[in-house]
Amino acid sequence: MEKTKQLRKEVAPFAKSEMKASVFQLINTILPLLLIWSAGYYLLQFSPWFTVVCSILASGFVVRTFIIFHDCTHGSFFKNKKANQIVGNITGLLTSFPFGKWKREHIIHHASSSNLDKRGIGDIEMLTVDEYLEKPKLSRFAYRLYRNPFVMFGLGPLYLVLIDNRLNSKDAKRKERFNTYFNNLALLIICVSLILLFGWQTFLLVHGITLFIAGALGIWLFYIQHTYEDSYFEYNEEWDYVKAAVEGSSYYKLPKLLQWITGNIGYHHVHHLAPRVPNYNLEAAHESIPPLQRATTITIKTSVESIRYKLYDPKNKRFVSFKELGKELRFKKHLHLNR
């Protein structure tokens, strides 16, 4: 308990937004995004490949814009609550995320991250080994399909942008519902206007490619920052908030350019420990506090290897692949037959 208090005390100085830093980040993120999108429309007259390049570049800035949106949902980007709401809704339109809905679901994610008894909201679906084995064959197949990289990172962005972000949950309150309606209506007006001005093919070439790539990158970042071999997961009785933050969230060590594009979200362990730390202070917090540097470090190479992890084994406290589970089951069957 004392270590927990001390750690939170050490992080506290970094949990303060700075107006100059926040405004500068808006300028160096939103302005380039709008300019690149504009260039994508303009350059189409010369070659569609110029537009595709612009769309790919824009996807990086959409990811960075999402990090600003994400900070606003935590109330960490500005000191003023109203400013966070306004900028959060604007960046939500640019990234296709409704502010109120995502804010509530993401707060639940923080309060229950790595808790095996409280999965289901704001998480990528994950089953334990026993849960998977208890399911009928059809449900197992559906889960295997869901965890397939082509589905998760290919169809996932389409589902997220076109369906999940457009619908309210049953328990959403009136204010949240209207915020989602506002987001949907505003996006409809923007999209229809762009289609009428430039045509639906051009619209898809610019915004379709951008949001698809950005969505895939976003899902990837969320996946890898909680899915690695020895990630921390516990049932509610043993679950600890600080352990969930430092041991259940990775430090995704990226090259400086990718770290900038992803708004320092690779320092996910710091963010989960102290959500009020704005993204531009995450690195400084990590570098200044030795216990935070003991978080599991994931590189691009090891992150790719983590794609194989599909199920969590609470007994051995680690993720396993379907292949590993299959080998274990065949081994047990062999032992049973030879008794």
Side-chain angles (χ1 to χ4, degrees):
M1 187 62 73
E2 285 301 318
K3 288 183 178 179
T4 298
K5 287 182 179 179
Q6 180 60 30
L7 193 56
R8 287 187 164 182
K9 186 178 179 181
E10 290 180 37
V11 175
F14 300 94
K16 296 175 182 177
S17 63
E18 302 167 29
M19 177 63 77
K20 186 183 292 186
S22 294
V23 171
F24 182 65
Q25 192 168 67
L26 284 174
I27 293 170
N28 67 31
T29 304
I30 308 300
L31 185 59
L33 173 61
L34 297 177
L35 288 173
I36 293 169
W37 268 337
S38 299
Y41 281 106
Y42 175 74
L43 293 173
L44 183 62
Q45 62 184 308
F46 302 106
S47 171
W49 291 109
F50 289 156
T51 299
V52 170
V53 170
C54 287
S55 299
I56 294 170
L57 290 174
S59 67
F61 283 92
V62 168
V63 171
R64 187 167 165 82
T65 301
F66 178 82
I67 300 303
I68 295 174
F69 164 84
H70 168 259
D71 275 10
C72 288
T73 63
H74 282 292
S76 64
F77 199 66
F78 292 109
K79 293 176 183 177
N80 183 275
K81 182 179 179 181
K82 195 69 176 176
N84 281 308
Q85 289 177 338
I86 292 171
V87 173
N89 276 289
I90 292 171
T91 51
L93 286 174
L94 292 171
T95 56
S96 87
F97 280 80
F99 181 77
K101 169 184 165 71
W102 204 83
K103 176 181 179 180
R104 180 178 64 86
E105 292 180 353
H106 192 61
I107 287 172
I108 293 172
H109 162 69
H110 271 263
S112 59
S113 179
S114 297
N115 189 322
L116 290 171
D117 287 315
K118 295 182 179 180
R119 288 166 285 164
I121 298 179
D123 297 317
I124 289 175
E125 185 182 350
M126 181 204 73
L127 295 178
T128 64
V129 170
D130 289 341
E131 288 169 345
Y132 174 76
L133 293 176
E134 288 168 3
K135 287 188 174 292
K137 286 186 177 180
L138 188 60
S139 295
R140 288 190 199 180
F141 174 75
Y143 180 74
R144 292 177 80 105
L145 196 62
Y146 168 79
R147 297 288 295 203
N148 185 288
F150 294 104
V151 174
M152 184 171 289
F153 307 114
L155 297 180
L158 299 177
Y159 172 78
L160 192 63
V161 172
L162 299 176
I163 300 174
D164 189 63
N165 283 353
R166 312 280 67 87
L167 302 174
N168 283 303
S169 57
K170 292 180 180 178
D171 58 344
K173 293 183 178 178
R174 189 167 179 266
K175 186 177 180 181
E176 181 182 321
R177 289 180 180 277
F178 276 101
N179 183 259
T180 303
Y181 299 150
F182 162 78
N183 186 270
N184 289 346
L185 181 60
L187 282 174
L188 181 64
I189 292 171
I190 292 169
C191 292
V192 169
S193 299
L194 290 170
I195 289 170
L196 291 174
L197 282 170
F198 302 103
W200 66 269
Q201 298 98 328
T202 305
F203 172 78
L204 288 179
L205 200 59
V206 176
H207 294 281
I209 292 176
T210 296
L211 291 179
F212 177 79
I213 295 174
L217 289 173
I219 293 172
W220 169 251
L221 287 169
F222 195 82
Y223 172 87
I224 196 56
Q225 288 171 332
H226 295 286
T227 308
Y228 46 94
E229 188 172 10
D230 58 349
S231 182
Y232 171 89
F233 280 90
E234 280 290 357
Y235 289 103
N236 195 52
E237 290 182 359
E238 301 294 327
W239 183 82
D240 178 82
Y241 180 86
V242 173
K243 281 189 176 182
V246 180
E247 297 177 25
S249 302
S250 66
Y251 162 39
Y252 197 11
K253 191 174 183 179
L254 295 168
K256 284 297 180 182
L257 177 60
L258 291 180
Q259 181 184 321
W260 186 86
I261 285 293
T262 57
N264 295 312
I265 201 62
Y267 296 95
H268 211 59
H269 58 303
V270 182
H271 170 65
H272 264 263
L273 177 65
R276 294 303 293 268
V277 176
N279 72 82
Y280 46 76
N281 284 344
L282 291 173
E283 181 178 9
H286 171 85
E287 295 296 338
S288 302
I289 304 170
L292 294 180
Q293 295 164 22
R294 292 198 287 269
T296 300
T297 300
I298 304 292
T299 63
I300 291 178
K301 181 178 181 295
T302 55
S303 69
V304 173
E305 293 169 356
S306 292
I307 291 175
R308 70 180 186 270
Y309 297 132
K310 312 293 184 180
L311 300 162
Y312 191 74
D313 182 359
K315 295 173 185 175
N316 295 304
K317 309 291 185 186
R318 70 184 190 94
F319 273 100
V320 296
S321 66
F322 290 130
K323 187 176 181 180
E324 287 175 290
L325 177 62
K327 284 183 178 179
E328 185 181 341
L329 292 176
R330 287 192 294 272
F331 179 70
K332 286 181 178 179
K333 186 178 179 180
H334 177 76
L335 287 179
H336 178 73
L337 290 173
N338 286 279
R339 279 181 180 175

